[in-house]
Amino acid sequence: MNFRTHVKSYKNKKRVDNPKEDWLIFENTHEPIVTQQEFGLVQELRKNKRRHTKHEKVNPFSGMVYCADCGKKMYLCRAKSLTADQEHLKCGTYANDKDECTAHFIRTIVLKEIILSELNKLISFVRENDDEFVQAAMDNSVQKQSSELLTLSCDICIT
């Protein structure tokens, strides 16, 4: 079992988990059923697994809104009985355990208004400070490219 668990005594049959540092993993010991690329692709798809929605229209904030206190995702609450004004996002932690977080929710209409006002502020800033914005964007792009090159060169040095 690759030393993932152990028993404290031969008398006690209860298994105890070992820390991950003590596990032994033997890679490539048999012929693989699927290629490593296929396995990686499936793992990536499973990471982004979503539940099938009954509504045709997907909420634009799905998977993008997080609770300010606990940092967990906020989940969309909608039903055929709710109007568009009543549709809201609520804290996933509070939905599972009332003691871990408080009742946080925001209506999607309010969230849309907040985002539109922030986008309008950004657009007005860009219009007023066109040269400053372009320079900041170029500096950010250069900084990002240099960090990517540094990471790439470090990866090459290691291998």
Side-chain angles (χ1 to χ4, degrees):
M1 297 259 280
N2 298 339
F3 307 104
R4 292 183 185 177
T5 60
H6 70 280
V7 290
K8 289 188 177 185
S9 163
Y10 71 91
K11 294 178 184 178
N12 184 357
K13 303 299 181 195
K14 185 176 180 185
R15 293 202 147 305
V16 180
D17 291 335
N18 285 333
K20 282 197 172 192
E21 305 87 52
D22 296 342
W23 291 6
L24 290 178
I25 298 172
F26 304 100
E27 294 182 3
N28 303 322
T29 56
H30 61 83
E31 193 67 31
I33 298 170
V34 295
T35 65
Q36 189 64 35
Q37 276 184 320
E38 290 172 338
F39 180 78
L41 178 64
V42 170
Q43 296 309 308
E44 190 65 32
L45 290 172
R46 286 179 57 103
K47 203 183 324 177
N48 298 323
K49 187 176 170 184
R50 300 236 191 274
R51 193 170 60 171
H52 180 69
T53 59
K54 294 178 182 175
H55 300 273
E56 306 111 27
K57 191 175 178 185
V58 177
N59 190 289
F61 306 118
S62 179
M64 298 175 70
V65 182
Y66 294 88
C67 177
D69 285 346
C70 65
K72 301 286 181 168
K73 281 185 183 178
M74 295 185 76
Y75 292 96
L76 179 66
C77 297
R78 61 161 61 147
K80 294 188 188 267
S81 61
L82 296 178
T83 64
D85 296 343
Q86 294 173 318
E87 190 177 284
H88 62 279
L89 294 151
K90 70 177 180 180
C91 176
T93 303
Y94 180 76
N96 291 332
D97 186 5
K98 309 277 190 252
D99 298 330
E100 290 291 318
C101 193
T102 56
H104 295 116
F105 79 97
I106 185 167
R107 296 201 188 278
T108 53
I109 289 181
V110 174
L111 190 57
K112 285 179 185 177
E113 289 175 8
I114 291 171
I115 290 173
L116 283 174
S117 69
E118 290 299 316
L119 282 173
N120 285 332
K121 286 180 190 176
L122 180 64
I123 290 169
S124 65
F125 173 78
V126 169
R127 284 184 181 156
E128 293 170 5
N129 307 313
D130 188 23
D131 295 334
E132 185 180 329
F133 179 77
V134 169
Q135 186 61 39
M138 289 177 64
D139 291 344
N140 188 18
S141 177
V142 168
Q143 184 180 10
K144 184 178 177 184
Q145 286 177 354
S146 64
S147 67
E148 287 176 359
L149 283 173
L150 182 63
T151 306
L152 181 64
S153 65
C154 288
D155 290 343
I156 292 171
C157 292
I158 292 171
T159 58

